[in-house]
Amino acid sequence: MFAAERRQLILEMVRANGAVSLRELARVVQTSEVTVRRDVRALEAEGLLDRRHGGAVLPGGFTRESGFPQKSHLASAEKTAIADLAAGLVEEGEAIVVGAGTTTQELARRLARVPGLTVVTNSLLVAQALAHANRVEVVMTGGTLRGSNYALVGSGAEQSLQGLRVSRAFLSGSGLTAERGLSTSNMLSASVDRALVQAAAEVVVLADHTKLGTDTMFQTVPTDVITRLVTDEPPAHDDRAATELQALADQGVQIAVAGASAGPGQAPGVDSVPAGRQPRRDVPLPGQRRGHGGHGAGPGAGPQLRSASVLGEQQGGERAARVADLRRR
């Protein structure tokens, strides 16, 4: 394939998807990432696209949101690895919330094997993945269907989450930076994600390396509210993604890297923080003691959920202080 043909195809992919990783571009045009990076630089010089950490986006600074069919094919191997690692954080009998997204859908497929689990979600795709799981209860929010990502949004979704209290929230988004935290391109989706965060004692963000350093219009979770990030290992040449991970860790976010090489005495994919820095402590549920990693205090101690609209709100002092102002941001 000639350079002009490659660059035309690259440009068409970025225009169709909004954001595409270098790895995916190299696979489609059947060449090396080094060659693709050179093509992307040439297209950027012409003002046709913008380079981002490990990928390319539409010009203009903020990426637009891709539809579900496009996003489902982007970084699929990375999303699978992230979902595998994130599923290991969930224990039998827990109550959690899972937001909308292609990565959280992959997580839901793995959660179907966790007995006694209760999952509250605004995503039709997450609910579908769990619909036939034995001993897994699914609670759907209300709201208006947003067809581009099969999620329920709006005041109905937000109101159904009021008073809800679960152990943790699993969220994805369009971009993640140490400066602004998790963000998305749609205002309604951002508002529901903030409501999901308010319901959880800790927040786990699922984001592949192509989203690191990408900033989109609406902030959903500030960095100081993110407990843990589950991501994949950036390519060796992607120094910016590695720098962003370090910046997130420096702000107290626990980093779990799928496929990372393990250090001495460390299992692959375990949390990592900079030397000499204490990782963020998990915030307990009301009535729990610290030191339990955010899980239930014992058999049967986890919250029992039946309906998102009738659950009584339980206040956790420290957690409430961290998220009380999210709706005002």
PDB file of all heavy atoms in Angstrom, residues 36-66:
ATOM      1  N   VAL A  36       3.028   3.938  10.920  1.00  0.00           N
ATOM      2  CA  VAL A  36       1.759   4.615  11.183  1.00  0.00           C
ATOM      3  C   VAL A  36       1.997   5.920  11.932  1.00  0.00           C
ATOM      4  O   VAL A  36       1.362   6.946  11.639  1.00  0.00           O
ATOM      5  CB  VAL A  36       0.816   3.690  11.984  1.00  0.00           C
ATOM      6  CG1 VAL A  36      -0.357   4.482  12.545  1.00  0.00           C
ATOM      7  CG2 VAL A  36       0.300   2.572  11.098  1.00  0.00           C
ATOM      8  N   ARG A  37       2.920   5.907  12.885  1.00  0.00           N
ATOM      9  CA  ARG A  37       3.212   7.121  13.634  1.00  0.00           C
ATOM     10  C   ARG A  37       3.737   8.218  12.703  1.00  0.00           C
ATOM     11  O   ARG A  37       3.392   9.395  12.851  1.00  0.00           O
ATOM     12  CB  ARG A  37       4.240   6.821  14.732  1.00  0.00           C
ATOM     13  CG  ARG A  37       4.395   7.967  15.740  1.00  0.00           C
ATOM     14  CD  ARG A  37       5.369   7.639  16.847  1.00  0.00           C
ATOM     15  NE  ARG A  37       4.918   6.495  17.616  1.00  0.00           N
ATOM     16  CZ  ARG A  37       5.493   5.294  17.556  1.00  0.00           C
ATOM     17  NH1 ARG A  37       6.530   5.074  16.770  1.00  0.00           N
ATOM     18  NH2 ARG A  37       5.031   4.307  18.285  1.00  0.00           N
ATOM     19  N   ARG A  38       4.536   7.829  11.742  1.00  0.00           N
ATOM     20  CA  ARG A  38       5.048   8.789  10.768  1.00  0.00           C
ATOM     21  C   ARG A  38       3.906   9.350   9.910  1.00  0.00           C
ATOM     22  O   ARG A  38       3.854  10.547   9.617  1.00  0.00           O
ATOM     23  CB  ARG A  38       6.105   8.116   9.897  1.00  0.00           C
ATOM     24  CG  ARG A  38       6.833   9.059   8.945  1.00  0.00           C
ATOM     25  CD  ARG A  38       8.123   8.446   8.435  1.00  0.00           C
ATOM     26  NE  ARG A  38       7.901   7.130   7.836  1.00  0.00           N
ATOM     27  CZ  ARG A  38       8.425   5.996   8.302  1.00  0.00           C
ATOM     28  NH1 ARG A  38       9.194   6.011   9.380  1.00  0.00           N
ATOM     29  NH2 ARG A  38       8.202   4.845   7.685  1.00  0.00           N
ATOM     30  N   ASP A  39       2.969   8.476   9.515  1.00  0.00           N
ATOM     31  CA  ASP A  39       1.814   8.924   8.740  1.00  0.00           C
ATOM     32  C   ASP A  39       0.941   9.885   9.553  1.00  0.00           C
ATOM     33  O   ASP A  39       0.435  10.890   9.026  1.00  0.00           O
ATOM     34  CB  ASP A  39       0.981   7.723   8.299  1.00  0.00           C
ATOM     35  CG  ASP A  39       1.675   6.882   7.239  1.00  0.00           C
ATOM     36  OD1 ASP A  39       2.559   7.416   6.537  1.00  0.00           O
ATOM     37  OD2 ASP A  39       1.327   5.690   7.121  1.00  0.00           O
ATOM     38  N   VAL A  40       0.749   9.564  10.827  1.00  0.00           N
ATOM     39  CA  VAL A  40      -0.074  10.413  11.693  1.00  0.00           C
ATOM     40  C   VAL A  40       0.557  11.789  11.844  1.00  0.00           C
ATOM     41  O   VAL A  40      -0.139  12.820  11.830  1.00  0.00           O
ATOM     42  CB  VAL A  40      -0.290   9.735  13.060  1.00  0.00           C
ATOM     43  CG1 VAL A  40      -0.878  10.721  14.059  1.00  0.00           C
ATOM     44  CG2 VAL A  40      -1.207   8.524  12.914  1.00  0.00           C
ATOM     45  N   ARG A  41       1.881  11.826  11.995  1.00  0.00           N
ATOM     46  CA  ARG A  41       2.564  13.122  12.088  1.00  0.00           C
ATOM     47  C   ARG A  41       2.341  13.943  10.822  1.00  0.00           C
ATOM     48  O   ARG A  41       2.106  15.163  10.893  1.00  0.00           O
ATOM     49  CB  ARG A  41       4.070  12.909  12.303  1.00  0.00           C
ATOM     50  CG  ARG A  41       4.454  12.423  13.685  1.00  0.00           C
ATOM     51  CD  ARG A  41       5.937  12.636  13.914  1.00  0.00           C
ATOM     52  NE  ARG A  41       6.389  12.024  15.162  1.00  0.00           N
ATOM     53  CZ  ARG A  41       7.030  10.854  15.221  1.00  0.00           C
ATOM     54  NH1 ARG A  41       7.312  10.192  14.102  1.00  0.00           N
ATOM     55  NH2 ARG A  41       7.398  10.358  16.381  1.00  0.00           N
ATOM     56  N   ALA A  42       2.404  13.292   9.661  1.00  0.00           N
ATOM     57  CA  ALA A  42       2.207  14.000   8.406  1.00  0.00           C
ATOM     58  C   ALA A  42       0.784  14.550   8.299  1.00  0.00           C
ATOM     59  O   ALA A  42       0.568  15.686   7.858  1.00  0.00           O
ATOM     60  CB  ALA A  42       2.502  13.063   7.237  1.00  0.00           C
ATOM     61  N   LEU A  43      -0.200  13.754   8.715  1.00  0.00           N
ATOM     62  CA  LEU A  43      -1.591  14.201   8.670  1.00  0.00           C
ATOM     63  C   LEU A  43      -1.844  15.315   9.678  1.00  0.00           C
ATOM     64  O   LEU A  43      -2.635  16.226   9.418  1.00  0.00           O
ATOM     65  CB  LEU A  43      -2.522  13.013   8.940  1.00  0.00           C
ATOM     66  CG  LEU A  43      -2.562  11.946   7.832  1.00  0.00           C
ATOM     67  CD1 LEU A  43      -3.276  10.690   8.316  1.00  0.00           C
ATOM     68  CD2 LEU A  43      -3.234  12.497   6.576  1.00  0.00           C
ATOM     69  N   GLU A  44      -1.171  15.255  10.829  1.00  0.00           N
ATOM     70  CA  GLU A  44      -1.304  16.321  11.813  1.00  0.00           C
ATOM     71  C   GLU A  44      -0.727  17.620  11.269  1.00  0.00           C
ATOM     72  O   GLU A  44      -1.291  18.705  11.500  1.00  0.00           O
ATOM     73  CB  GLU A  44      -0.605  15.932  13.116  1.00  0.00           C
ATOM     74  CG  GLU A  44      -0.764  16.969  14.218  1.00  0.00           C
ATOM     75  CD  GLU A  44      -0.010  16.600  15.484  1.00  0.00           C
ATOM     76  OE1 GLU A  44       1.147  16.151  15.363  1.00  0.00           O
ATOM     77  OE2 GLU A  44      -0.574  16.762  16.581  1.00  0.00           O
ATOM     78  N   ALA A  45       0.401  17.531  10.563  1.00  0.00           N
ATOM     79  CA  ALA A  45       1.012  18.727   9.990  1.00  0.00           C
ATOM     80  C   ALA A  45       0.086  19.414   8.989  1.00  0.00           C
ATOM     81  O   ALA A  45       0.151  20.634   8.808  1.00  0.00           O
ATOM     82  CB  ALA A  45       2.335  18.361   9.318  1.00  0.00           C
ATOM     83  N   GLU A  46      -0.790  18.630   8.363  1.00  0.00           N
ATOM     84  CA  GLU A  46      -1.755  19.184   7.421  1.00  0.00           C
ATOM     85  C   GLU A  46      -3.031  19.645   8.113  1.00  0.00           C
ATOM     86  O   GLU A  46      -3.955  20.138   7.452  1.00  0.00           O
ATOM     87  CB  GLU A  46      -2.107  18.147   6.358  1.00  0.00           C
ATOM     88  CG  GLU A  46      -0.932  17.722   5.489  1.00  0.00           C
ATOM     89  CD  GLU A  46      -1.324  16.650   4.491  1.00  0.00           C
ATOM     90  OE1 GLU A  46      -2.483  16.665   4.034  1.00  0.00           O
ATOM     91  OE2 GLU A  46      -0.478  15.796   4.173  1.00  0.00           O
ATOM     92  N   GLY A  47      -3.111  19.475   9.431  1.00  0.00           N
ATOM     93  CA  GLY A  47      -4.285  19.901  10.186  1.00  0.00           C
ATOM     94  C   GLY A  47      -5.479  18.992  10.051  1.00  0.00           C
ATOM     95  O   GLY A  47      -6.613  19.383  10.367  1.00  0.00           O
ATOM     96  N   LEU A  48      -5.251  17.745   9.615  1.00  0.00           N
ATOM     97  CA  LEU A  48      -6.360  16.817   9.370  1.00  0.00           C
ATOM     98  C   LEU A  48      -6.722  15.981  10.584  1.00  0.00           C
ATOM     99  O   LEU A  48      -7.816  15.416  10.656  1.00  0.00           O
ATOM    100  CB  LEU A  48      -6.020  15.911   8.184  1.00  0.00           C
ATOM    101  CG  LEU A  48      -5.794  16.651   6.857  1.00  0.00           C
ATOM    102  CD1 LEU A  48      -5.313  15.688   5.782  1.00  0.00           C
ATOM    103  CD2 LEU A  48      -7.081  17.347   6.424  1.00  0.00           C
ATOM    104  N   LEU A  49      -5.807  15.838  11.536  1.00  0.00           N
ATOM    105  CA  LEU A  49      -6.074  15.123  12.777  1.00  0.00           C
ATOM    106  C   LEU A  49      -5.093  15.600  13.840  1.00  0.00           C
ATOM    107  O   LEU A  49      -4.154  16.345  13.550  1.00  0.00           O
ATOM    108  CB  LEU A  49      -6.000  13.598  12.573  1.00  0.00           C
ATOM    109  CG  LEU A  49      -4.768  12.973  11.910  1.00  0.00           C
ATOM    110  CD1 LEU A  49      -3.560  12.967  12.830  1.00  0.00           C
ATOM    111  CD2 LEU A  49      -5.088  11.562  11.462  1.00  0.00           C
ATOM    112  N   ASP A  50      -5.322  15.160  15.074  1.00  0.00           N
ATOM    113  CA  ASP A  50      -4.431  15.478  16.192  1.00  0.00           C
ATOM    114  C   ASP A  50      -3.859  14.189  16.760  1.00  0.00           C
ATOM    115  O   ASP A  50      -4.571  13.179  16.869  1.00  0.00           O
ATOM    116  CB  ASP A  50      -5.177  16.216  17.309  1.00  0.00           C
ATOM    117  CG  ASP A  50      -5.538  17.639  16.918  1.00  0.00           C
ATOM    118  OD1 ASP A  50      -4.926  18.168  15.962  1.00  0.00           O
ATOM    119  OD2 ASP A  50      -6.437  18.216  17.568  1.00  0.00           O
ATOM    120  N   ARG A  51      -2.600  14.218  17.121  1.00  0.00           N
ATOM    121  CA  ARG A  51      -2.002  13.073  17.801  1.00  0.00           C
ATOM    122  C   ARG A  51      -2.375  13.102  19.278  1.00  0.00           C
ATOM    123  O   ARG A  51      -2.477  14.152  19.892  1.00  0.00           O
ATOM    124  CB  ARG A  51      -0.479  13.091  17.651  1.00  0.00           C
ATOM    125  CG  ARG A  51       0.021  12.659  16.291  1.00  0.00           C
ATOM    126  CD  ARG A  51       1.542  12.607  16.283  1.00  0.00           C
ATOM    127  NE  ARG A  51       2.136  13.922  16.513  1.00  0.00           N
ATOM    128  CZ  ARG A  51       3.373  14.127  16.944  1.00  0.00           C
ATOM    129  NH1 ARG A  51       4.144  13.099  17.216  1.00  0.00           N
ATOM    130  NH2 ARG A  51       3.834  15.349  17.108  1.00  0.00           N
ATOM    131  N   ARG A  52      -2.569  11.917  19.842  1.00  0.00           N
ATOM    132  CA  ARG A  52      -2.779  11.743  21.274  1.00  0.00           C
ATOM    133  C   ARG A  52      -1.911  10.591  21.730  1.00  0.00           C
ATOM    134  O   ARG A  52      -1.294   9.907  20.926  1.00  0.00           O
ATOM    135  CB  ARG A  52      -4.255  11.460  21.584  1.00  0.00           C
ATOM    136  CG  ARG A  52      -5.147  12.680  21.463  1.00  0.00           C
ATOM    137  CD  ARG A  52      -4.828  13.718  22.523  1.00  0.00           C
ATOM    138  NE  ARG A  52      -5.708  14.875  22.447  1.00  0.00           N
ATOM    139  CZ  ARG A  52      -5.471  15.956  21.736  1.00  0.00           C
ATOM    140  NH1 ARG A  52      -4.370  16.035  20.996  1.00  0.00           N
ATOM    141  NH2 ARG A  52      -6.317  16.969  21.739  1.00  0.00           N
ATOM    142  N   HIS A  53      -1.863  10.354  23.046  1.00  0.00           N
ATOM    143  CA  HIS A  53      -1.018   9.306  23.603  1.00  0.00           C
ATOM    144  C   HIS A  53      -1.383   7.969  22.984  1.00  0.00           C
ATOM    145  O   HIS A  53      -2.435   7.414  23.269  1.00  0.00           O
ATOM    146  CB  HIS A  53      -1.168   9.219  25.119  1.00  0.00           C
ATOM    147  CG  HIS A  53      -0.894  10.525  25.820  1.00  0.00           C
ATOM    148  ND1 HIS A  53      -0.218  11.556  25.240  1.00  0.00           N
ATOM    149  CD2 HIS A  53      -1.221  10.938  27.064  1.00  0.00           C
ATOM    150  CE1 HIS A  53      -0.123  12.556  26.100  1.00  0.00           C
ATOM    151  NE2 HIS A  53      -0.737  12.210  27.212  1.00  0.00           N
ATOM    152  N   GLY A  54      -0.541   7.449  22.114  1.00  0.00           N
ATOM    153  CA  GLY A  54      -0.767   6.143  21.536  1.00  0.00           C
ATOM    154  C   GLY A  54      -1.841   6.085  20.491  1.00  0.00           C
ATOM    155  O   GLY A  54      -2.332   5.003  20.158  1.00  0.00           O
ATOM    156  N   GLY A  55      -2.251   7.239  19.914  1.00  0.00           N
ATOM    157  CA  GLY A  55      -3.312   7.200  18.935  1.00  0.00           C
ATOM    158  C   GLY A  55      -3.501   8.514  18.212  1.00  0.00           C
ATOM    159  O   GLY A  55      -2.668   9.418  18.291  1.00  0.00           O
ATOM    160  N   ALA A  56      -4.626   8.626  17.500  1.00  0.00           N
ATOM    161  CA  ALA A  56      -4.966   9.828  16.754  1.00  0.00           C
ATOM    162  C   ALA A  56      -6.440  10.131  16.956  1.00  0.00           C
ATOM    163  O   ALA A  56      -7.263   9.221  17.092  1.00  0.00           O
ATOM    164  CB  ALA A  56      -4.667   9.640  15.267  1.00  0.00           C
ATOM    165  N   VAL A  57      -6.782  11.435  16.984  1.00  0.00           N
ATOM    166  CA  VAL A  57      -8.162  11.862  17.212  1.00  0.00           C
ATOM    167  C   VAL A  57      -8.524  12.939  16.195  1.00  0.00           C
ATOM    168  O   VAL A  57      -7.668  13.484  15.497  1.00  0.00           O
ATOM    169  CB  VAL A  57      -8.360  12.418  18.646  1.00  0.00           C
ATOM    170  CG1 VAL A  57      -7.991  11.377  19.677  1.00  0.00           C
ATOM    171  CG2 VAL A  57      -7.539  13.698  18.854  1.00  0.00           C
ATOM    172  N   LEU A  58      -9.801  13.263  16.138  1.00  0.00           N
ATOM    173  CA  LEU A  58     -10.247  14.358  15.296  1.00  0.00           C
ATOM    174  C   LEU A  58      -9.618  15.657  15.770  1.00  0.00           C
ATOM    175  O   LEU A  58      -9.388  15.842  16.967  1.00  0.00           O
ATOM    176  CB  LEU A  58     -11.771  14.471  15.338  1.00  0.00           C
ATOM    177  CG  LEU A  58     -12.562  13.360  14.642  1.00  0.00           C
ATOM    178  CD1 LEU A  58     -14.046  13.544  14.925  1.00  0.00           C
ATOM    179  CD2 LEU A  58     -12.303  13.394  13.151  1.00  0.00           C
ATOM    180  N   PRO A  59      -9.341  16.589  14.874  1.00  0.00           N
ATOM    181  CA  PRO A  59      -8.729  17.858  15.286  1.00  0.00           C
ATOM    182  C   PRO A  59      -9.687  18.693  16.105  1.00  0.00           C
ATOM    183  O   PRO A  59     -10.901  18.577  15.987  1.00  0.00           O
ATOM    184  CB  PRO A  59      -8.402  18.540  13.951  1.00  0.00           C
ATOM    185  CG  PRO A  59      -9.348  17.945  12.969  1.00  0.00           C
ATOM    186  CD  PRO A  59      -9.558  16.524  13.423  1.00  0.00           C
ATOM    187  N   GLY A  60      -9.125  19.530  16.983  1.00  0.00           N
ATOM    188  CA  GLY A  60      -9.953  20.451  17.755  1.00  0.00           C
ATOM    189  C   GLY A  60      -9.787  20.335  19.244  1.00  0.00           C
ATOM    190  O   GLY A  60     -10.423  21.059  20.001  1.00  0.00           O
ATOM    191  N   GLY A  61      -8.939  19.428  19.726  1.00  0.00           N
ATOM    192  CA  GLY A  61      -8.647  19.380  21.153  1.00  0.00           C
ATOM    193  C   GLY A  61      -9.467  18.384  21.928  1.00  0.00           C
ATOM    194  O   GLY A  61      -8.946  17.655  22.745  1.00  0.00           O
ATOM    195  N   PHE A  62     -10.788  18.326  21.689  1.00  0.00           N
ATOM    196  CA  PHE A  62     -11.645  17.418  22.430  1.00  0.00           C
ATOM    197  C   PHE A  62     -12.242  16.401  21.470  1.00  0.00           C
ATOM    198  O   PHE A  62     -12.847  16.756  20.465  1.00  0.00           O
ATOM    199  CB  PHE A  62     -12.770  18.164  23.149  1.00  0.00           C
ATOM    200  CG  PHE A  62     -12.274  19.071  24.227  1.00  0.00           C
ATOM    201  CD1 PHE A  62     -12.179  20.430  24.007  1.00  0.00           C
ATOM    202  CD2 PHE A  62     -11.870  18.560  25.439  1.00  0.00           C
ATOM    203  CE1 PHE A  62     -11.715  21.273  25.004  1.00  0.00           C
ATOM    204  CE2 PHE A  62     -11.410  19.391  26.447  1.00  0.00           C
ATOM    205  CZ  PHE A  62     -11.325  20.753  26.221  1.00  0.00           C
ATOM    206  N   THR A  63     -12.103  15.126  21.802  1.00  0.00           N
ATOM    207  CA  THR A  63     -12.625  14.083  20.927  1.00  0.00           C
ATOM    208  C   THR A  63     -14.136  13.993  21.051  1.00  0.00           C
ATOM    209  O   THR A  63     -14.698  14.212  22.117  1.00  0.00           O
ATOM    210  CB  THR A  63     -12.026  12.720  21.287  1.00  0.00           C
ATOM    211  OG1 THR A  63     -12.386  12.402  22.644  1.00  0.00           O
ATOM    212  CG2 THR A  63     -10.521  12.731  21.162  1.00  0.00           C
ATOM    213  N   ARG A  64     -14.785  13.664  19.951  1.00  0.00           N
ATOM    214  CA  ARG A  64     -16.227  13.419  20.012  1.00  0.00           C
ATOM    215  C   ARG A  64     -16.451  11.965  20.392  1.00  0.00           C
ATOM    216  O   ARG A  64     -15.565  11.128  20.266  1.00  0.00           O
ATOM    217  CB  ARG A  64     -16.891  13.719  18.666  1.00  0.00           C
ATOM    218  CG  ARG A  64     -16.534  12.743  17.568  1.00  0.00           C
ATOM    219  CD  ARG A  64     -17.385  13.020  16.326  1.00  0.00           C
ATOM    220  NE  ARG A  64     -17.025  12.157  15.221  1.00  0.00           N
ATOM    221  CZ  ARG A  64     -17.476  10.933  15.039  1.00  0.00           C
ATOM    222  NH1 ARG A  64     -18.278  10.398  15.942  1.00  0.00           N
ATOM    223  NH2 ARG A  64     -17.108  10.217  13.998  1.00  0.00           N
ATOM    224  N   GLU A  65     -17.658  11.679  20.846  1.00  0.00           N
ATOM    225  CA  GLU A  65     -17.964  10.311  21.268  1.00  0.00           C
ATOM    226  C   GLU A  65     -18.296   9.444  20.068  1.00  0.00           C
ATOM    227  O   GLU A  65     -19.083   9.818  19.209  1.00  0.00           O
ATOM    228  CB  GLU A  65     -19.136  10.319  22.250  1.00  0.00           C
ATOM    229  CG  GLU A  65     -19.432   8.946  22.807  1.00  0.00           C
ATOM    230  CD  GLU A  65     -20.562   8.972  23.790  1.00  0.00           C
ATOM    231  OE1 GLU A  65     -21.510   9.744  23.591  1.00  0.00           O
ATOM    232  OE2 GLU A  65     -20.518   8.214  24.765  1.00  0.00           O
ATOM    233  N   SER A  66     -17.693   8.263  20.003  1.00  0.00           N
ATOM    234  CA  SER A  66     -17.999   7.313  18.950  1.00  0.00           C
ATOM    235  C   SER A  66     -19.243   6.516  19.335  1.00  0.00           C
ATOM    236  O   SER A  66     -19.579   6.384  20.509  1.00  0.00           O
ATOM    237  CB  SER A  66     -16.831   6.351  18.750  1.00  0.00           C
ATOM    238  OG  SER A  66     -15.642   7.054  18.495  1.00  0.00           O
TER     239      SER A  66
END
